[in-house]
Amino acid sequence: MNTEHVVAGTTPDMNDVVGTHDILLLTLDTLRYDVAVELAAAGRTPHLARLLPDGGWERRHAPGSFTYASHLAMLAGFLPTPASPGPHPRLFAAAFPGSVSTFDRTWTFTAADLPAGLAEAGYHTACVGGTGFFNRRSALGSVLPNMFAESHWQESFGVTDPHSFENQVECAVGITESLPPEQPLFMLLNVSALHQPNWFHLPGATRDAGDTRDSHAAALEYVDRHLPPLLTAMAARRRCFVIACSDHGTAYGEDGHTGHRIGHEVVWTIPYTHAVLPHRYRGDTKETNR
């Protein structure tokens, strides 16, 4: 099976997508745009590359500089914005007067957030969390997962586990297999592996040396290696509309900065793509459709 790519630079008619496709929002937490582009060009992320149009990752601006703010925005329909001057049509939008980014191809909802809107349209909504804002260990850590009918987080999904993405994928596959075939699914999977600490993904790195841009890149390669079962599962029941993007970037010493929740270019500039997986797409296929 081939990946069917949405044409780069155009907005699909989401009114045709919602109700007929499963939807996966794959947030690659903390992924930097420059690292994503560099690895794609070098052929180091072949599975993610199947989700990219010929132009590769699209350069966009994050809706927030850290996980909580960015996910709140995305789950209200404010996905990362193209870096070129707008306005840019949005895929999803809450219905409110005066919106300049709601077009005829935008799927609009009257609920306060996207999961609730999709639930009203008949979707089962599920969240597989990664970073601490999904762990339900506090009122703050419950805000995002509470938007979903089903949510999962455990220590092995978190930033300190070297096998976090494999564990998250296993959970996500289980969700898809437990649903009736006729039940459409909206899933958010917040990938934690790229977030600090990530030194353990780089062969030969040590805790004392800490995280680096190279270990960030190695974490992305790790995620890519374990991506196929997720894509296969998400397309097993029907066509799947995939949105893969970062929620924000992070700094590794640029201009003296480390981390995120700051107004730096490496934090605000992020990679984005969307694609349609045909029904019964095999994530490990070597075929692509450009």
Side-chain angles (χ1 to χ4, degrees), residues 7-28:
V7 178
T10 64
T11 302
D13 191 338
M14 296 306 293
N15 298 290
D16 294 334
V17 171
V18 173
T20 60
H21 294 54
D22 282 350
I23 301 172
L24 171 65
L25 175 55
L26 184 70
T27 57
L28 300 156

Side-chain angles (χ1 to χ4, degrees), residues 192-205:
S192 66
L194 291 137
H195 196 284
Q196 295 95 322
N198 54 44
W199 61 269
F200 42 73
H201 290 296
L202 182 65

Side-chain angles (χ1 to χ4, degrees), residues 198-214:
N198 54 44
W199 61 269
F200 42 73
H201 290 296
L202 182 65
T206 64
R207 185 188 302 273
D208 290 342
D211 301 323
T212 63
R213 189 179 181 279
D214 287 339

Side-chain angles (χ1 to χ4, degrees), residues 49-258:
R50 293 172 196 141
L51 301 177
L52 306 178
D54 288 335
W57 287 103
E58 183 181 354
R59 181 173 179 266
R60 291 203 174 195
H61 291 148
S65 63
F66 68 109
T67 299
Y68 182 72
S70 190
H71 279 80
L72 277 179
M74 288 192 281
L75 291 174
F78 297 98
L79 295 172
T81 308
S84 59
H88 300 282
R90 285 193 289 145
L91 300 182
F92 310 99
F96 68 96
S99 172
V100 298
S101 54
T102 301
F103 287 66
D104 57 355
R105 289 174 167 260
T106 303
W107 185 77
T108 59
F109 51 93
T110 58
D113 57 75
L114 179 60
L118 288 170
E120 291 178 355
Y123 277 76
H124 177 68
T125 62
C127 170
V128 179
T131 60
F133 288 114
F134 295 88
N135 66 16
R136 290 191 178 278
R137 291 179 172 175
S138 66
L140 181 62
S142 301
V143 172
L144 294 170
N146 278 350
M147 293 181 180
F148 295 82
E150 177 181 357
S151 65
H152 301 268
W153 188 93
Q154 57 193 46
E155 200 74 41
S156 66
F157 296 173
V159 298
T160 60
D161 194 307
H163 303 286
S164 61
F165 188 58
E166 298 155 77
N167 299 330
Q168 289 182 297
V169 168
E170 182 179 6
C171 177
V173 170
I175 293 170
T176 67
E177 292 176 345
S178 69
L179 288 179
E182 68 276 6
Q183 175 76 66
L185 170 66
F186 169 56
M187 182 182 295
L188 166 66
L189 198 158
N190 171 245
V191 180
S192 66
L194 291 137
H195 196 284
Q196 295 95 322
N198 54 44
W199 61 269
F200 42 73
H201 290 296
L202 182 65
T206 64
R207 185 188 302 273
D208 290 342
D211 301 323
T212 63
R213 189 179 181 279
D214 287 339
S215 63
H216 183 86
L220 182 59
E221 290 182 288
Y222 158 72
V223 169
D224 186 81
R225 285 196 300 273
H226 297 282
L227 184 63
L230 175 66
L231 300 183
T232 298
M234 287 300 304
R237 302 175 322 121
R238 60 180 53 78
R239 288 155 62 95
C240 180
F241 187 81
V242 180
I243 301 164
C245 63
S246 179
D247 55 344
H248 56 79
T250 199
Y252 289 102
E254 290 84 2
D255 299 312
H257 293 290
T258 300

